[in-house]
Amino acid sequence: LYTAPDSCEGRCGEPFSEGDECHCHPECERHRNCCEDHERHCGPDGFSSSRDSITDRELLELSEQLYGLDHNKARPSDIALNPQHRAGPDETGDKRDRSPQPLYKYVNEELFSKPTYASFIKLLDNYLRATGREEEVTAEELREQERFLEEVMKTELMKKLFTFLRGKNRYGSEQEFLEDLKEMWFGLYSRGDGERDSSGFEHVFSGEVKKGKVSGFHNWIRFYLLEKQGVVDYFSHNFNGPWDTYPDVLGLQFSWDGFYKEVGSAFIGCSPEFEFGLYSLCFLARPGRACHLSLGGHRLSVQTYPWTKSTYGGGRRFIATAYVMSP
């Protein structure tokens, strides 16, 4: 699904070519399409070694700040979980339901009336989950995308993220940031047979079905709403994060209308803007690599991958996937 990029060895400073699978020209970091070893081979003269690079230390500090700014997250009293069976490594793939009860005993749905939640939930029914079927985006759905982006950009959390990225010369204005978020998350590309059937947002937050398996689907709100409808069946969890407040992290096994997800990691109880912002940060800072973060004093990592088969805006990459890693 994700093509391994080539190397920058002997290619530093070469001009941009549309046919290249990954790039080594000086602006490739800005466009998020460098080869993975660009910094190692081209660092002394390239963008990545300059003051505009994002260091591991800065990622740890910024993620703690964003964690502290998640004012819309669930309080401990807003969610009651029933995790039941913890699956061992040899149990995650056997498709056995070892948890007879739902995962969510209770969610305070007043959370969903908050503007970022309400605008996020409106997006979830905009997609055909089967890959290979062209997505038709209506004018109303485009307005829903813009409304969600407007609402998250009103939050202190996303304003902090933008201020940081502007300081790294990634974006010159909030409008430029907003337009790029719209393309990287909502721009359509083909996972199937040439049909524009997928986007980063659909894959990560809404979920897809590809070759008979659940693909993506890393969002707790989506899971709760579908479990409540009876179309998601929780089987077990293989990881439960160390947090005693929200957001927490779970690695889940579940069935969605009969299609199985072996490990579907998810933040639990965070706001939509927290997840959207953290994944965006990691995609911009560490595309295709583990992005090491800290939340409430606990280390964790987010993995993102760029879509390598098509681009937008002069070579920028769409988001293929983003998820919190469960050990």
Side-chain angles (χ1 to χ4, degrees), residues 162-181:
F162 165 68
T163 300
F164 174 81
L165 294 170
R166 182 176 58 185
K168 293 294 182 180
N169 289 320
R170 301 301 172 100
Y171 299 100
S173 68
E174 195 170 300
Q175 187 59 34
E176 184 188 351
F177 181 43
L178 201 65
E179 290 299 321
D180 199 36
L181 287 172

Side-chain angles (χ1 to χ4, degrees), residues 250-280:
L250 278 181
L252 306 170
Q253 290 71 52
F254 62 91
S255 169
W256 179 17
D257 266 348
F259 300 103
Y260 187 62
K261 182 74 174 181
E262 186 171 334
V263 179
S265 60
F267 285 108
I268 308 294
C270 66
S271 69
E273 61 266 27
F274 175 83
E275 204 169 0
F276 188 74
L278 212 63
Y279 289 157
S280 299

Side-chain angles (χ1 to χ4, degrees), residues 152-219:
V152 297
M153 285 308 300
K154 289 176 186 175
T155 65
E156 199 176 345
L157 185 155
M158 287 297 287
K159 287 187 181 299
K160 175 70 178 177
L161 176 59
F162 165 68
T163 300
F164 174 81
L165 294 170
R166 182 176 58 185
K168 293 294 182 180
N169 289 320
R170 301 301 172 100
Y171 299 100
S173 68
E174 195 170 300
Q175 187 59 34
E176 184 188 351
F177 181 43
L178 201 65
E179 290 299 321
D180 199 36
L181 287 172
K182 185 174 181 181
E183 285 292 337
M184 76 169 80
W185 279 106
F186 293 104
L188 293 173
Y189 50 81
S190 175
R191 287 184 197 264
D193 304 315
E195 307 285 349
R196 291 185 352 128
D197 60 351
S198 188
S199 68
F201 187 93
E202 176 186 7
H203 181 85
V204 173
F205 295 106
S206 184
E208 299 180 293
V209 171
K210 184 178 174 70
K211 296 182 178 177
K213 294 182 179 179
V214 176
S215 182
F217 197 142
H218 298 286
N219 179 255

